[in-house]
Amino acid sequence: MNAGACFVLAGVYFVVWCKQRDSWPHLLFSCSAVAAAVVALIERFMLHGETVEQFAALIRWIHVPVWVLTLSFVAFVRLYLRAGRRWLAWSIYGLRTLVLILNFTFTPNINFRAITSIRHFSWWGEIVSVPVGVPNPWGLLSNVSLLLLLIFFVDATITVWRRGDRQRALVVGGSMILGSIVAWHVPLVIWGVLDVPLFLSFAYLGIILAMGSELGDDMFQAAQLARKLEESEQRLNLAADSANFGVWEWDLNKDEVSVTRSRRNLLGLPPAGKIRFEHYIARVHVDDRDRIRQAITEAIEKRKVYDSEFRIVLSDGSVRWMTTRGTVQANKQGKPMRMLGISLDVTPRKEAELQTRQQRAELEQLRQQKTALLEKEVVERARLEREVIESCGHEQRRIAYDLHDGVGQQLVGIALSAKLLEQELRAERPAQAKKASAIVRLANETARQTRLTARSLEGADGVGDLKVALEALAADVRRNCRVAAKVKADTSSFPVSAPAAAQLYRIVQEALHNAVKHGRAHKVQIDLAVDRDNMVLTVRDDGKGFNGAASNGMGLRIMRYRAQCIGGSCEVQSNRADGTIVTCRVPLQVDAHVPPRL
């Protein structure tokens, strides 16, 4: 019965090991169960042995399954319980192997030098047989190996107990300790201390049952975990389908890719069966395959996080965008074993990005077109403004010539006629002569103002060197208006265009006119300087200034307009105590092209 139970258990766990080749404790248990069954069969023949030769052969051959049991038990403890000292394990392996070799060297075996007879006696109502003979002193090696085995089991049980796994310590460790203690009856029977039959199989059967119980409990827990894992996988698949992402796993050793059912359907893969990496990569767009292979290889070799976006081509020819992120898992030796990750369908986002880029391109094209139109309009407007400025300059010169040659000459003629009239009336009609003299003075003053105005208008265009033109203007003001006007410049000439120089000249003219006529100034300072890329023109006077209400007068607006025509700016600061300061900033080497704002 013991042998049958052991054979059944051995067959069951051997099948389990065949399906899970990395589960070595199941194979060790199968070997232990087979060996225990063989020990039980040999002991059964011993109980009913009739001849000395039969007993000698049975005792010799029982060492083979005992050797298998001993090595299997020690390896099981090392692998399953993860306990037991290594040096003790190797000592037991070596000593037990030596006992097996000596057992087949000595005659009849390592336990007896000679078996003299067979003794029969009643044991629990049954007649049993035991050998009687001379013990072999080399049998002490077998006893020493049994003692080492007991010490190994006790040490391993204590380790498992301290680790907190007390159930396994009691069940597996306790059964092995108890079985090792019971096994000590064999040397006592051989030395004639005990008068009992040999029953090692019962001790070993207890150990086998304890080991099988723990392995069965592990299998039951594994089944529960598998069921829970399946339920969790179903929930994960449901969540993945809802969130439109898939979970995948790639076994690097077997080259098998596991993906959720939704991903299989999306990629056009079969709903069941193994998937190789090449099957998976075949769905990737041909332009993205090399990049994906390189990224995966780099992630595996450098233990980096795999993160990439690529296109997949479905069975109907449509293209979808996927983003994938995964990590590499390695064993204790650092060898990559598998990759785990998730994949997310980002096609809507990619389509939105593509649409956004197209809209941006269209907007950029429209912007360029509008910019080109505006630039063309600005150029045309600048051209028209230059023509207007040139026309105004020509017209002003024509008016200046008319004033000088026409009105001025006529005023001079009036003054001469009035002077002659004064001389004729001075003797007889002094009162009328006095009135004629007033007409002469008024005509001369008007003629002088007309010539001054003609000169100002004539200088509105073609001023040449700006500094020279301003110095001439200041000299006219000093001579005709009796105002101390001075010009200060950093250099002899300034790199400004002719239109800009003409506009600046007119701004200074307007500032001087306001200072003399409205400000009643006695001193005016005109400064020209260069500040980085700008030319700064400043006109200061010591007149009475004006309040804020007069800051939007026609003259000031004209000065600002002229400054804007040449791309500059004009600021006016004035108060009653300090007079007026006109500051104009103009970029160097500019032309009149900026549209003014009135």
Side-chain angles (χ1 to χ4, degrees), residues 9 12-13 16 26 29 76 80 165-169 171-172 208-227:
L9 291 174
V12 171
Y13 285 98
V16 174
H26 290 88
F29 175 81
F76 185 86
Y80 185 71
D165 197 354
R166 298 187 175 183
Q167 179 179 348
R168 289 185 177 178
V171 176
V172 179
I208 295 299
L209 292 177
M211 293 166 60
S213 174
E214 285 301 309
L215 290 176
D217 187 56
D218 289 347
M219 292 176 62
F220 177 73
Q221 292 181 4
Q224 287 184 328
L225 290 176
R227 185 168 58 254

Side-chain angles (χ1 to χ4, degrees), residues 248-262:
W248 54 269
E249 177 182 354
W250 180 20
D251 190 328
L252 300 178
N253 293 330
K254 298 180 181 179
D255 189 21
E256 294 182 2
V257 181
S258 301
V259 295
T260 54
R261 187 177 296 107
S262 60

Side-chain angles (χ1 to χ4, degrees), residues 532-544:
R532 294 183 180 179
D533 296 333
N534 297 321
M535 190 190 71
V536 182
L537 170 66
T538 306
V539 181
R540 303 171 184 266
D541 67 64
D542 60 350
K544 62 181 182 180

Side-chain angles (χ1 to χ4, degrees), residues 274-292:
K274 297 181 180 179
I275 303 175
R276 303 295 181 186
F277 176 73
E278 290 301 326
H279 299 158
Y280 185 81
I281 203 69
R283 293 296 182 182
V284 178
H285 196 280
V286 64
D287 294 338
D288 298 337
R289 289 179 188 174
D290 293 340
R291 177 172 55 85
I292 296 301

Side-chain angles (χ1 to χ4, degrees), residues 442-461:
L442 182 59
N444 287 330
E445 179 65 22
T446 302
R448 188 182 65 82
Q449 291 293 336
T450 300
R451 288 193 297 272
L452 179 62
T453 302
R455 290 194 188 96
S456 298
L457 290 176
E458 194 273 337
D461 190 18

